[in-house]
Amino acid sequence: MTSLLEVQGVTKRFGGLTANSEITFDANAGEIVGIIGPNGAGKSTLFDLITGFERADAGEVRLDGRRITGVRPDRICALGVGRTFQKLKPFADMTVAENVMVGALARTHRMREARDRALEALAFVDLLERRDRFARELSTGQRKRLELARALATGPRLILMDEVTGGVDQRTIPGLIELVLSLKARGLAVVLIEHNMAVMMRIADRILALHAGRRIAFGPPAEVRQDALVVDAYLGSADHAA
Ligand code: ADP
Ligand code: MG
C-alpha cells in the first residue's frame, strides 16, 4: 500500500545551513499527521518542499505514488495539494469571497463555478456571512479560516496547515480544531504544524518530531510523547519557556 503522501529522504540546504536533513514520513487519506519541533526545526521548509515552492537538494516527494519533486507549485496544487501559510497573506483590499475565488481559480477557469466553489468553502469554515467584507476587516482567527477556505477551494486531497492555532484568541481554538477534524472525516490527508501540544496529542494520528532539520521521532502520539529525544529537544525546552 502506498500512502497518499510519501516523503522520502528529503534534504534542503540554505548555504551552510541544513534546514531539512533526510526527512522521511508519510500521510494517508483520512489521517492527521502532526509536525512538532522548536522554531527553526525545519517545519515550514518541509511544506515548501512538498508544495514545490523550494527545490529539494536530495530525496523525493510522491503523491499517490507519483513523483512530484521538481514539479511546479501550480501543478502540484492542481494535483490536489492545498496549503495554508504560517504568515497569513490575504489580499487585504479584496473581499473575503474574492480571496477564496483566487484559490478556486486554480481548479477552474469558469468564474461562476469558481464563485460556487468559493462560497461552498466559505460555508464550510463558517465565514459565509462575511463574504462581502474586505479581508482586512477580519480578526486573526477569521483570517485563519479564510486561509483554510482558500486552500480548500483548490480542491485538495492533501492539505498542509502551518500553525493553524498560532496567534489566535484562545476561544477560537476549539472551532479551528473542529474544522481540522472535519477535514479528516471528509477523507483528506491533513499534515499539521502545531505548537499546542495538548491539541496535537488529541487530534494527531501520528506525529513527526523535527529538531535542527532532523527527524527525531515519527509515530503515534503516545509513543512520541515518551521519546527521550523529543522530551529533551522539544517538551523540555517548551517547559522552560512556559
Ligand atoms: P520552522 O518552520 O520549523 O520554524 P523553517 O523551516 O522556517 O523552521 O526554517 C528552518 C531553518 O531554515 C531556519 O534556520 C531558517 O532560518 C532557515 N531558512 C528557512 N527558509 C530559508 C530561506 N529561504 N533562506 C535561508 N534560510 C532559510
Ligand atoms: Mg515555520
Side-chain angles (χ1 to χ4, degrees):
M1 267 296 280
T2 60
S3 303
L4 180 60
L5 171 70
E6 293 172 298
V7 174
Q8 185 72 48
V10 296
T11 293
K12 178 67 188 176
R13 294 182 205 92
F14 294 111
L17 178 99
T18 304
N20 282 164
S21 180
E22 295 175 34
I23 305 294
T24 295
F25 79 102
D26 66 297
N28 295 297
E31 183 184 33
I32 297 175
V33 172
I35 304 182
I36 61 172
N39 282 333
K43 306 180 297 295
S44 295
T45 299
L46 194 50
F47 278 9
D48 288 337
L49 297 182
I50 296 168
T51 52
F53 282 90
E54 294 281 0
R55 208 190 177 93
D57 295 304
E60 70 176 39
V61 179
R62 288 186 296 273
L63 189 72
D64 250 347
R66 171 184 170 172
R67 190 187 149 102
I68 56 169
T69 327
V71 174
R72 285 189 352 231
D74 58 321
R75 283 294 306 147
I76 292 177
C77 174
L79 287 169
V81 180
R83 176 196 191 163
T84 69
F85 289 88
Q86 178 176 358
K87 297 193 180 77
L88 303 173
K89 34 188 171 184
F91 301 106
D93 294 325
M94 280 165 54
T95 67
V96 167
E98 287 165 350
N99 265 279
V100 180
M101 279 181 71
V102 172
L105 287 167
R107 264 303 157 110
T108 176
H109 292 296
R110 286 193 287 272
M111 291 306 274
R112 177 111 196 206
E113 191 185 330
R115 185 155 180 93
D116 287 348
R117 269 178 176 274
L119 295 182
E120 189 190 327
L122 281 170
F124 185 75
V125 303
D126 201 17
L127 267 185
L128 196 54
E129 75 279 16
R130 302 201 183 250
R131 62 183 174 272
D132 296 324
R133 307 293 279 270
F134 289 112
R136 62 179 136 79
E137 297 177 81
L138 300 183
S139 68
T140 308
Q142 289 167 341
R143 265 185 252 165
K144 297 258 178 183
R145 287 170 180 275
L146 172 60
E147 265 284 294
L148 180 55
R150 190 190 46 70
L152 287 176
T154 68
R157 291 183 291 161
L158 163 69
I159 187 158
L160 311 175
M161 304 175 75
D162 202 343
E163 304 206 8
V164 205
T165 68
V168 307
D169 188 315
Q170 288 288 324
R171 286 168 303 178
T172 70
I173 292 179
L176 288 167
I177 292 168
E178 281 313 309
L179 277 177
V180 174
L181 289 169
S182 53
L183 294 174
K184 168 184 161 142
R186 274 187 165 195
L188 270 77
V190 180
V191 181
L192 186 74
I193 295 172
E194 172 61 56
H195 281 300
N196 186 326
M197 281 305 283
V199 168
M200 199 56 122
M201 288 296 162
R202 191 153 73 75
I203 71 173
D205 296 296
R206 287 187 291 168
I207 292 178
L208 169 67
L210 300 181
H211 184 58
R214 296 183 177 280
R215 168 178 134 172
I216 54 174
F218 181 47
E223 212 171 89
V224 169
R225 179 171 33 195
Q226 285 171 13
D227 187 285
L229 288 173
V230 174
V231 171
D232 237 32
Y234 188 64
L235 299 175
S237 60
D239 284 349
H240 290 311

